[in-house]
Amino acid sequence: MTPAAAKGLIEKRPFKSIVDVNKILVEQKLTGDQIREFYRAAFVKINLNTGTREEFMLIPGVGSRMAAELAEYRPWKTWSQFDKEIGKYVGQQETDRIKQYVFIPPS
């Protein structure tokens, strides 16, 4: 995180979504590696039941197809449902990795 990027984030608060944060990081000309490192440290978890494609695409390693799958199986009610449905496409290690970036709201 550069001082200019940190200042830009502070000045633009509050954010409606992580997509707005990403726009500022890109505007500050952070490299892809710098942005990924920022998300590893400060990622705001995404609600699986309301997250947008753009938000899901910000999860490191998630592409268009996985973003579509995350939206397709809504409503998400349990982590076992998540493991079963998303696990059809990727292994348990990957579903566990994705879980650190998302949440299922309480019913």
Side-chain angles (χ1 to χ4, degrees):
M1 176 65 62
T2 66
K7 183 179 179 184
L9 285 171
I10 291 168
E11 290 173 353
K12 304 277 179 157
R13 294 179 302 177
F15 304 104
K16 292 182 182 176
S17 74
I18 191 67
V19 174
D20 295 334
V21 173
N22 193 66
K23 288 177 187 174
I24 292 169
L25 297 176
V26 171
E27 287 171 3
Q28 295 297 324
K29 304 205 183 325
L30 270 66
T31 67
D33 287 340
Q34 289 171 318
I35 291 172
R36 280 187 291 281
E37 186 58 34
F38 173 81
Y39 287 142
R40 281 187 194 91
F43 199 86
V44 176
K45 290 190 174 195
I46 300 166
N47 182 329
L48 278 172
N49 289 330
T50 61
T52 66
R53 178 187 181 285
E54 292 78 17
E55 289 173 319
F56 291 142
M57 292 292 292
L58 293 174
I59 298 171
V62 168
S64 293
R65 180 178 170 152
M66 182 56 69
E69 298 301 331
L70 293 171
E72 180 179 333
Y73 289 100
R74 291 177 179 162
W76 294 102
K77 295 181 181 178
T78 66
W79 288 116
S80 60
Q81 173 196 10
F82 181 84
D83 289 339
K84 177 184 173 190
E85 300 300 348
I86 299 303
K88 291 188 281 192
Y89 305 100
V90 297
Q92 185 66 49
Q93 184 176 356
E94 182 64 2
T95 59
D96 289 343
R97 188 192 70 77
I98 293 171
K99 286 177 191 175
Q100 68 185 324
Y101 299 103
V102 297
F103 71 95
I104 298 172
S107 318

